[in-house]
């Protein structure tokens, strides 16, 4: 898979997918398409579309040819989306890149002739799920991947562990989940679970970006790995509490190197998210061994230098594993020396100061992913999707070269108040507002009022596809009274 755009070998941007019917070529009218295509032209000319005369075909000049597992699986999947009213017993067969269907009845329809030229505005279009604060069953993750594909998101940022729990089951360090998960048997992700998620995502053109955030956000790590966290002191004696990862011990880096070696083999993406945010220095300041190490290293009392020392060390570890690091912007804020290709994840600057963060960090020549305006775990009464939709990722003070460093954005769903019971309706269709901003031409999609009926229609499509997306406002979906 291409490490930047998320392309797989047989799913190349150059492939040409033709939808053929006997009397012409047709697609659904684009009035309800979400995200909006870059270029589309629809005519009043109509063609009947029915499954008996419908099949997918590889383009003659496509780099992908029959046998591409990604496309062959997509052909089957999208056939059922185009013809949702078929019942069990109808026979769909696919061979040599073509599909044919035999059925007792024909549920056809008419489509307007439409020409579409489409491509993404940004190459990184992500969704973050937090599986530490509440465990999300694998099925809930897979359902999210389906919805992501429908909205053209292409990066699943898996914030898999954090302070509350460590559900990732490590083969190298099994005690991490055995002692750090909410439950060592039911609330974990086995190696099989992880591979299932990665494979499911791959078939939908989605990368899986794992995050193992440190040195903060690691309380659950310490339950299964002794001497990893820093002992806190009170009045010159240990208090019994623990702080961030202890950056002064060689054993810390030996542990990180072994863990990340495993993670690098399990997660094939060439990027890994290392976190680096919200480190509380109180415990480090209280620990006499840490203070002595600071003096030895010439850090004085500047604990940002100690965090920089730690982050620089683990970024170097990931570099030796041929992984490119993504880190939260705190790492940049602390003036840490990191490789030029490191990506900075912007989460500060809400509501509008994130433009200053974009300007400041890109001026230093760093690539960035913007997340600050899309923390949609924060909810408000009314149509809060409108705020997400009006974000302008490149509307900041900077040169054209700086703006090229913005590689995309990410919607974050942090898990303090989200589990499998409310994940899907809280995420969809609100996340789809950001999806269009990251995919479509900004000038064509500047009007919230014009976007509303399309997003409302798209929400109904999500419902028909099994995604329990919440309503945008008063109204109904046409399929609710079908068959009456």
């Amino acid at each position: 898979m291409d490490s930047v755009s998320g392309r797989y070998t047989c799913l190349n941007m150059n492939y040409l997918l033709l939808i053929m019917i006997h009397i012409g070529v047709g697609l659904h009218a684009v009035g309800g398409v979400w995200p909006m295509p870059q270029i589309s032209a629809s005519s009043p000319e109509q063609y009947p579309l029915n499954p008996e005369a419908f099949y997918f075909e590889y383009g003659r000049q496509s780099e992908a040819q029959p046998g591409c597992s990604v496309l062959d699986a997509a052909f089957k999947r999208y056939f059922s989306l185009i013809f949702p009213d078929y019942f069990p017993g109808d026979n769909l067969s696919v061979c040599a890149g073509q599909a044919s269907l035999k059925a007792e009845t024909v549920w056809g329809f008419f489509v307007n002739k439409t020409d579409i030229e489409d491509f993404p505005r940004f190459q990184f279009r992500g969704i973050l799920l937090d599986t530490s604060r509440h465990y999300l069953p694998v099925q809930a993750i897979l359902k999210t991947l389906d919805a992501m594909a429908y909205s053209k998101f292409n990066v699943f940022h898996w914030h898999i562990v954090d302070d509350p729990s460590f559900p990732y089951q490590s083969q190298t360090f099994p005690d991490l989940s055995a002692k750090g998960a909410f439950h060592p048997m039911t609330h974990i992700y086995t190696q099989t679970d992880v591979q299932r998620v990665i494979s499911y995502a791959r078939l939908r053109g989605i990368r899986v970006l794992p995050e193992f955030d440190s040195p903060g956000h690691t309380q659950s790590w310490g339950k299964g790995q002794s001497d990893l966290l820093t002992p806190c002191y009170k009045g010159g004696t240990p208090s019994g509490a623990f702080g961030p990862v202890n950056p002064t011990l060689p054993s810390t880096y030996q542990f990180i190197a072994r863990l990340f070696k495993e993670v690098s083999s399990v997660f094939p993406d060439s990027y890994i998210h290392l976190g680096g945010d919200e480190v509380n220095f109180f415990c480090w300041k209280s620990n006499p061994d840490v203070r002595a190490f600071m003096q030895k290293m010439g850090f004085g009392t500047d604990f940002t230098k100690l965090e920089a020392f730690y982050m620089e060390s683990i970024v170097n570890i990931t570099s030796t594993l041929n992984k490119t690091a993504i880190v939260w912007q705190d790492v940049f804020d602390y003036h840490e020396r990191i490789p030029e290709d490191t990506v900075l994840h912007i989460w500060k600057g809400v509501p509008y100061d994130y433009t200053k963060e974009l300007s400041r960090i890109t001026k230093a020549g760093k690539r960035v992913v913007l997340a600050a305006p899309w923390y949609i775990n924060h909810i408000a009464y009314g149509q809060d999707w409108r705020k997400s939709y009006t974000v302008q990722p490149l509307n900041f003070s900077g040169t054209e070269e700086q703006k090229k460093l913005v590689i995309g954005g990410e919607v974050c769903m942090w898990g303090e108040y989200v589990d499998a019971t409310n994940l899907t309706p809280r995420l969809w269709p609100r996340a789809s507002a950001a999806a269009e901003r990251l995919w479509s031409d900004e000038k064509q999609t500047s009007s919230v009022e014009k976007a509303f009926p399309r997003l409302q229609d798209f929400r109904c499509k999500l419902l028909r596809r099994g995604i329990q997306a919440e309503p945008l406002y008063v109204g109904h979906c046409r399929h609710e009274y079908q068959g009456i």
Side-chain angles (χ1 to χ4, degrees):
M1 183 179 67
D2 186 289
S3 63
V4 176
S5 66
R7 292 174 290 178
Y8 291 89
T9 302
C10 66
L11 184 56
N12 193 283
M13 291 296 288
N14 297 322
Y15 79 79
L16 179 62
L17 173 62
L18 299 178
I19 301 177
M20 307 296 295
I21 56 178
H22 283 327
I23 63 171
V25 179
L27 290 172
H28 290 286
V30 297
V33 173
W34 194 282
M36 180 178 282
Q38 298 287 344
I39 302 172
S40 63
S42 185
S43 76
E45 188 176 359
Q46 288 190 330
Y47 297 111
L49 192 66
N50 69 78
E52 287 189 344
F54 181 96
Y55 61 91
F56 292 100
E57 186 176 86
Y58 287 84
R60 292 180 180 178
Q61 297 181 359
S62 170
E63 292 184 17
Q65 290 299 322
C68 170
S69 61
V70 175
L71 286 183
D72 288 344
F75 292 163
K76 290 183 178 180
R77 194 166 64 249
Y78 276 88
F79 196 98
S80 64
L81 293 177
I82 295 169
F83 300 102
D85 296 319
Y86 271 85
F87 300 98
D90 297 339
N91 183 15
L92 173 66
S93 62
V94 178
C95 61
Q98 298 185 5
S100 63
L101 186 142
K102 297 178 181 179
E104 295 298 322
T105 58
V106 177
W107 295 89
F109 52 90
F110 284 86
V111 293
N112 289 87
K113 178 183 177 181
T114 305
D115 296 312
I116 291 178
E117 182 179 337
D118 208 9
F119 50 87
R121 182 186 180 199
F122 292 102
Q123 63 196 25
F124 188 108
R125 305 176 305 281
I127 292 277
L128 177 149
L129 293 186
D130 169 8
T131 59
S132 173
R133 290 171 176 85
H134 281 98
Y135 176 83
L136 296 175
V138 171
Q139 196 57 44
I141 295 174
L142 301 184
K143 183 68 72 174
T144 301
L145 292 172
D146 282 332
M148 286 176 63
Y150 300 147
S151 291
K152 293 187 171 66
F153 285 104
N154 69 338
V155 180
F156 168 38
H157 177 177
W158 195 348
H159 189 87
I160 193 168
V161 298
D162 205 297
D163 280 330
S165 73
F166 196 107
Y168 171 74
Q169 189 178 59
S170 168
Q171 290 184 331
T172 309
F173 300 101
D175 278 353
L176 289 173
S177 61
K179 298 179 180 179
F182 287 136
H183 190 282
M185 299 298 292
T186 61
H187 286 54
I188 59 170
Y189 300 108
T190 66
Q191 301 283 311
T192 301
D193 292 332
V194 172
Q195 290 308 312
R196 185 182 177 194
V197 169
I198 292 171
S199 297
Y200 199 88
R202 175 183 176 272
L203 291 176
R204 286 151 183 80
I206 297 171
R207 301 161 48 191
V208 179
L209 170 67
E211 180 182 357
F212 287 79
D213 189 359
S214 70
H217 294 279
T218 49
Q219 288 299 298
S220 66
W221 301 39
K223 296 176 182 178
Q225 184 67 21
S226 60
D227 300 325
L228 177 65
L229 303 185
T230 305
C232 304
Y233 277 68
K234 186 176 182 179
T237 58
S239 67
F242 292 88
V245 167
N246 191 334
T248 71
L249 301 178
S251 59
T252 292
Y253 302 100
Q254 294 164 5
F255 163 78
I256 293 291
R258 291 181 63 195
L259 176 64
F260 282 0
K261 182 179 181 180
E262 176 190 317
V263 169
S264 297
S265 66
V266 171
F267 292 89
D269 199 87
S270 60
Y271 283 74
I272 183 172
H273 204 302
L274 302 178
D277 63 315
E278 298 182 315
V279 180
N280 189 323
F281 297 148
F282 174 79
C283 194
W284 283 351
K285 291 178 179 179
S286 75
N287 187 295
D289 295 328
V290 172
R291 293 199 303 269
F293 180 83
M294 294 271 290
Q295 295 303 314
K296 175 184 175 183
M297 298 298 294
F299 298 160
T301 58
D302 186 352
F303 285 85
T304 65
K305 292 182 179 179
L306 182 59
E307 183 184 357
F309 173 81
Y310 172 82
M311 291 303 300
E312 290 165 12
S313 298
I314 68 167
V315 168
N316 289 335
I317 288 172
T318 58
S319 295
T320 64
L321 296 168
N322 295 318
K323 296 286 186 180
T324 301
I326 301 181
V327 293
W328 296 107
Q329 69 174 88
D330 310 52
V331 174
F332 176 84
D333 296 341
Y334 292 150
H335 309 291
E336 298 171 18
R337 298 185 301 274
I338 51 179
E340 287 299 316
D341 60 353
T342 304
V343 177
L344 279 299
H345 205 154
I346 295 178
W347 68 276
K348 299 179 182 180
V350 178
Y352 301 111
D353 281 349
Y354 63 82
T355 57
K356 296 178 181 177
E357 302 294 337
L358 284 164
S359 180
R360 182 172 64 93
I361 297 175
T362 58
K363 188 175 182 179
K366 296 297 184 183
R367 291 183 299 162
V368 300
V369 170
L370 178 64
W374 291 312
Y375 270 43
I376 68 171
N377 50 290
H378 296 291
I379 57 176
Y381 184 79
Q383 299 185 45
D384 61 352
W385 67 271
R386 292 170 176 253
K387 292 182 180 179
S388 295
Y389 193 76
T390 55
V391 171
Q392 297 177 300
L394 300 185
N395 186 24
F396 63 91
S397 177
T399 65
E400 288 303 310
E401 290 303 311
Q402 282 180 250
K403 295 182 181 185
K404 290 178 183 178
L405 294 172
V406 182
I407 64 172
E410 182 174 272
V411 171
C412 296
M413 183 57 73
W414 296 101
E416 287 89 347
Y417 304 100
V418 176
D419 65 7
T421 65
N422 64 347
L423 170 66
T424 299
R426 186 162 294 188
L427 192 55
W428 309 105
R430 295 165 69 232
S432 301
E436 181 153 286
R437 183 55 56 240
L438 294 170
W439 179 277
S440 305
D441 179 78
E442 192 171 287
K443 291 181 180 178
Q444 296 184 60
T445 56
S446 59
S447 170
V448 173
E449 300 308 319
K450 290 180 180 179
F452 177 75
R454 284 191 303 110
L455 185 55
Q456 200 168 36
D457 181 67
F458 181 66
R459 181 254 173 176
C460 293
K461 285 187 174 72
L462 290 177
L463 290 178
R464 290 201 69 183
R465 295 173 180 182
I467 307 298
Q468 297 302 306
E470 69 178 16
L472 292 171
Y473 191 55
V474 175
H476 72 285
C477 295
R478 285 176 294 177
H479 75 267
E480 292 173 8
Y481 51 81
Q482 261 186 346
I484 296 177

